[in-house]
Each structure stands twice: as C-alpha cells, then as structure tokens.
Amino acid sequence: EVALVESGGGSVQAGGSVVLSCTASGFTVTTSHMGWFRQAPGNYCDWVATIAHTGRSFYADLTKGRFAISRDDAKNTVTLRIGALNPEDTAVYYCVRDPPYGDRWSTCPRMIGNWGQGTQVIVSS
C-alpha cells in the first residue's frame, strides 16, 4: 500500500528555515515524480516543487530561489528545504506522488496522485 508521511513542520520565526521530510512506503521514490504542494486556510492550493524520477527538479515561481527539493534514494524520502521564511509561507505542506500538472487550485486535487496528510508550517513575524 502506498503511503506518504510528512514531518518537520512547526512554528518558525520569520527569516528562519525549515526542513520538511516525506517518507514514502509501498513504492520507491526513484520510480515516480514527487512533488510538494501547500495550502493556507482560505487560500489556494499551490504547487511548490517537483523532483522527477530522473532527479531533475522543478520549482514554482512562488519559491523565488528559497526552496530546494531533494531526495534520498537509500532512505526513500523526499525533502523540501525552505529558507528566509516569511509569514506568507504559513501553510500545510503536502507531499505528493505523481503530482498533477498545474500551479494553482481552489482546493488541493487529492484525487490525482497519492497525497500525504500534510505537515503544518507556521511562520511568525
């Protein structure tokens, strides 16, 4: 059974950094595209970044060079590092296997691909 479990969220001061991890089971991350999305209450669900099965990474414009996606093949995990956090980064961050194409949805399209339960990041100023 495919499962994704995110961790690493929490409360962070503006200007700080956070490392989010996604532990995958039931498949190997090297065989799938793996992505991160985020959604703040009352806001859109935004695509953040994807790492393809080839290892090539792609980023949404919103990341502005502050985000880095990577994977650890041995641990079967995908990591999202976020630096220079600001309050606008406050959201629930979701790890997704085979993420849908597109940058923004009114609600996260959880029927496409496999989604984790999310990990919350709260950035205080």
Side-chain angles (χ1 to χ4, degrees):
E1 180 181 355
V2 170
L4 300 168
V5 178
E6 301 95 335
S7 60
S11 296
V12 188
Q13 288 283 99
S17 60
V18 69
V19 179
L20 307 180
S21 293
C22 172
T23 301
S25 59
F27 72 102
T28 55
V29 295
T30 57
T31 63
S32 298
H33 298 331
M34 298 296 298
W36 286 91
F37 286 70
R38 71 182 189 183
Q39 185 166 32
N43 279 9
Y44 294 105
C45 181
D46 287 321
W47 169 66
V48 175
T50 294
I51 184 165
H53 64 87
T54 59
R56 184 177 177 184
S57 56
F58 303 86
Y59 295 93
D61 291 342
L62 65 86
T63 61
K64 298 180 181 177
R66 298 186 295 114
F67 292 60
I69 189 171
S70 61
R71 71 183 187 207
D72 186 323
D73 297 351
K75 296 181 179 179
N76 211 36
T77 59
V78 178
T79 297
L80 183 71
R81 290 175 169 82
I82 313 172
L85 284 158
N86 60 68
E88 288 69 39
D89 295 318
T90 294
V92 176
Y93 287 75
Y94 297 95
C95 176
V96 186
R97 177 196 184 201
D98 292 333
Y101 290 102
D103 290 350
R104 171 167 282 187
W105 292 266
S106 56
T107 58
C108 291
R110 299 175 69 92
M111 72 292 295
I112 301 173
N114 300 107
W115 292 64
Q117 291 302 304
T119 185
Q120 177 137 42
V121 175
I122 299 172
V123 184
S124 57
S125 57

